Amino acid sequence: MKLTLARAKELLAATTGDPHLVVHATNVRGCMEAFARHFGQPPEEVEHWGAVGYLHDYDYERFPEEHLEHTEAELLAEGVDAADVRAILSHGWGICNDVTTETDLERSLFCADELSGLVWAAALMRPTGISDLEPKSVVKKFKDKKFAAGCNRDVIRKGAELVGLDLPAAIAVCIDGMKPYAAETGLLPKASLP
Ligand SMILES: [Fe+2]
């Protein structure tokens, strides 16, 4: 059976407690939902792409130095579809393995993983959060090598290329996907916080 969001949440909760990783999972989920819409997927696939995004760093908290080496056997044993497991492995292409991206879902996950981090960091600094964040301000941050230096610019460039978008267009998809989850990811306008 294709991965559902409920199952993805259950599986991630069993292995991951770091709130930053949960925020990252939520960001990637949102981006994947927006990429699914961008690629014309029906509503059930939008949820499915989001679920794969949510679960993609399944083994990271336990095995940061062996990321994605403890994913395949465990998730298959948990009954996750082989295609979904493969998709998760492919976000490590050229970084921790040689599983190439073959489908729109896989290419989108590769793009969302690194780019969502830059978008999140850019939105986090703003008093208005992600509510009125524009792609061009994220592009500016992209060019500032000191900003969110952990977000690898080459990986971001490769991700946008994989999904066939220029950088501002890929950023626009991510902003659109992440907005609905602003309350969970700390990106609400500051004035609306208690
Ligand atoms: Fe990730």
Side-chain angles (χ1 to χ4, degrees):
M1 204 185 81
K2 278 184 185 179
L3 188 66
T4 63
L5 185 62
R7 186 72 179 124
K9 289 202 162 179
E10 201 173 77
L11 288 165
L12 194 76
T15 58
T16 304
D18 179 346
H20 285 103
L21 291 178
V22 176
V23 164
H24 174 62
T26 303
N27 284 332
V28 174
R29 171 202 172 183
C31 293
M32 286 301 284
E33 290 172 348
F35 275 115
R37 291 191 292 268
H38 168 78
F39 284 110
Q41 295 291 320
E44 65 275 14
E45 278 303 308
V46 172
E47 182 195 315
H48 172 230
W49 287 38
V52 173
Y54 192 86
L55 190 59
H56 79 285
D57 276 341
Y58 169 76
D59 72 3
Y60 185 77
E61 182 169 302
R62 291 174 300 153
F63 304 104
E65 303 301 326
E66 297 170 6
H67 183 33
L68 295 176
E69 288 174 32
H70 302 266
T71 291
E72 187 170 18
E74 288 190 31
L75 288 185
L76 289 175
E78 292 286 357
V80 177
D81 247 16
D84 291 336
V85 175
R86 192 201 183 278
I88 287 173
L89 295 179
S90 75
H91 90 269
W93 177 30
I95 306 163
C96 28
N97 62 37
D98 54 6
V99 183
T100 55
T101 58
E102 304 287 346
T103 64
D104 285 339
L105 187 157
E106 292 177 350
R107 289 184 278 266
S108 298
L109 181 60
F110 189 98
C111 181
D113 185 28
E114 203 72 7
L115 185 51
S116 66
L118 183 72
V119 172
W120 184 76
L124 197 62
M125 302 183 52
R126 299 158 57 84
T128 49
I130 199 168
S131 64
D132 59 354
L133 178 62
E134 298 212 19
K136 64 172 191 287
S137 5
V138 183
V139 172
K140 218 180 274 172
K141 298 293 185 196
F142 176 89
K143 290 178 181 158
D144 175 1
K145 296 286 173 303
K146 283 186 213 133
F147 180 82
C151 299
N152 186 314
R153 279 21 180 205
D154 292 334
V155 172
I156 290 175
R157 244 183 246 114
K158 175 177 166 184
E161 204 172 291
L162 282 173
V163 293
L165 296 173
D166 63 17
L167 189 60
I171 290 169
V173 172
C174 289
I175 291 175
D176 176 52
M178 286 164 61
K179 267 185 190 171
Y181 305 104
E184 290 167 53
T185 56
L187 298 184
L188 287 178
K190 303 289 182 279
S192 68
L193 293 174

